[in-house]
Each structure stands twice: as structure tokens, then as C-alpha cells.
Amino acid sequence: MNTNYTKVFGGNKIEAQRIELALKDNNIEPILKDETASARLAGFGSPLPELIEIYVHKDEENKALSIIAQHNN
């Protein structure tokens, strides 16, 4: 599967929301993948509760990783 998006974060919901806001403040529109919500809606349980993944367009990957690193310090 070929995609133009790359994963830049995986972690808990609270941290993901903080990073999502920081990316949006810097004009990066992230895509969030919530395995827990997807599994719940499909009628299944999730082996990793509250795991959120954040993806950004490959062109914005370096900028996004820099923003995430700043927020983790």
C-alpha cells in the first residue's frame, strides 16, 4: 500500500490531543487514528486501549517531528 502520509506519533489520548493542537497551530493538518474507537464501533475490544496514532503528509514530516520534539522537552 502506497501512501503519502507517515506516522509521527503513537501514544495516549491526552498527549495525542496536545500534539494535534500544536501541529494545527503550525498549519499542519494531522490525521488521527484511534484504534480503540475503531474497535469499539466494530464491536470488538482493543488490545491497546487509548492508543492514538498521528499521521502527517510526508512533505510536513520533518516540521511535525520538530514540533513534537519541542513539546516533549
Side-chain angles (χ1 to χ4, degrees):
M1 184 170 139
N2 188 9
T3 179
N4 289 326
Y5 290 85
T6 186
K7 179 179 167 183
V8 293
F9 174 80
N12 69 56
K13 189 173 187 173
I14 294 171
E15 195 172 354
Q17 288 175 335
R18 183 176 56 83
I19 291 171
E20 176 188 18
L21 289 174
L23 293 173
K24 286 183 175 182
D25 285 345
N26 286 277
N27 299 316
I28 296 175
E29 195 59 44
I31 296 176
L32 275 65
K33 181 178 177 185
D34 185 345
E35 290 292 341
T36 304
S38 297
R40 181 179 45 78
L41 291 172
F44 302 105
S46 173
L48 299 170
E50 300 299 320
L51 176 65
I52 309 293
E53 294 178 343
I54 297 179
Y55 293 81
V56 298
H57 195 273
K58 286 182 180 181
D59 294 343
E60 300 173 319
E61 178 181 10
N62 290 335
K63 183 177 177 183
L65 290 173
S66 175
I67 293 166
I68 292 168
Q70 288 175 358
H71 278 78
N72 287 335
N73 287 336

